[in-house]
Amino acid sequence: MPIITIEQAGQYDGQEVTLRGWLYNQRESGKLLFPIFRDGTGIMQGVCSLKEQPAAFEALRGLTQESSVIVTGKIRAEQRAPGGFEIGVSAVEVLQRVSESQPYPIQLKEHGVDFLLNQRHLWIRSPRQAAILRIRAEAIRAAREFMDGQGYTLTDAPIFTPAACEGTTTLFEVQYIDDEKAYLTQSGQLYVEATAMALGKVYAFGPTFRAEKSKTRRHLTEFWMLEPEAAYADLGDMMELGEGLVSHVVQSVLKNRTRELEALKRDTTKLATVKAPFPRISYDEAIAVLQKSGNPAKHGDDFGGDEETILSSQYDRPLIVHRYPAAIKAFYMQPDPQRPDLALGFDMLAPEGYGEIIGGGQRIHDYDLLVKRLREHNLPEESFQWYLDLRRYGSVPHAGFGLGLERTVAWICGTEHIREVIPFPRMIYRVYP
Ligand code: 4AD
Ligand code: MG
């Protein structure tokens, strides 16, 4: 008897197979049972009759939700069943029966989101959450495929760091060995700048941490970032790499995770248009667009969620905004030679109000200017000596960016909140489970 997954059922039409999974739900109708099984790859409806399969019927009757089961039966095409196939159950082995006195806490009805977040370890079993996690995995796979294909070498950055990369207000401090202090990384950027000088084109992909006090649908305190960095590269090279990367990720999910997008009822026509090149406007142009739409933004302001939504809603694909005022950007941004008050940086804003998915640009390669900026930002120079070495020994123009994985996946999935797209979200008031 072949052991198969629900995803493979279509290849076994008319054959006896074994499925290993859990009871998701069951309808009982006299001498017929209609169980629904799930196995992590999908859900499948079954039919079991008392007359034909009395032993299987007895095993299934009254069986509690989420009990683990191994089911044998014949696969047959059934138009009305989810997935197009059902299983005529002939044998059932119950591995663990969920007790009636302590039933599975998540019923097949609407629950409040706080309740579900407290049950996150179980909530991920629901078909919608599992579909999201599969899309996340495909996005990661496609992103790495793209970077590797462009000749970038994976060089991961450390998580314990001696200093800030993205401003000191969101640093998580940890006590390192003995009395030494360290911080959880906010970005691997400074380290990929070093590996770029060693290997040319590199990227890091890993978790990053920010003590974000904001309670928004776009902020996590622990999130994953993909960070390319290239020697002898400029702002233009990175805008091009970013749009190529995002196009490839979206098109790969569309192609390889069709069923999951369907399960999420995602309007895929909004993703189909996501192909490079993306529209590009300067920060100054963005301010003009905002003012025209009645937004009070003025030169020198940073954009919040509202501004990003107004800007991105004018386009059917992500929007690149470049050359922000240096004053509102990080210490390492290379100034524009034409307008030194502007930074050679860019943000990529996702459509449909999902906000900034990429931030990046060209880095300062001049030693003296970098030291000046460290001082202006009150950053501890001694912690940055190794970083300054990159400007002492063979400094070259270089550039990179960081793609926020969860923001990107939330947009692709069309979820309301970013917390659904990471297996175990960490947010301002949540570190459980
Ligand atoms: O724009 P950010 O802060 O840029 C950097 O950290 C650069 N050092 C990256 C680089 O150039 N290598 O963050 C990059 C992206 C944002 O565009 C956003 O998508 C995501 O990371 N991000 C967050 N995602 C979820 N929760 C948060 N609190 C996030 N903060 C940033
Ligand atoms: Mg940013």
Side-chain angles (χ1 to χ4, degrees), residues 166 210 329 346-347 356 358-360:
E166 295 299 321
R210 301 210 186 158
K329 288 291 179 187
F346 76 104
D347 283 357
E356 182 196 325
I358 285 183

Side-chain angles (χ1 to χ4, degrees), residues 18 44 88 96 139 201 222 255 272 288 303-304 312 400 406:
T18 295
M44 174 167 278
Q96 189 252 327
K201 298 202 284 186
E222 178 177 325
K255 180 162 160 265
F303 300 150
S312 63
E406 288 77 14

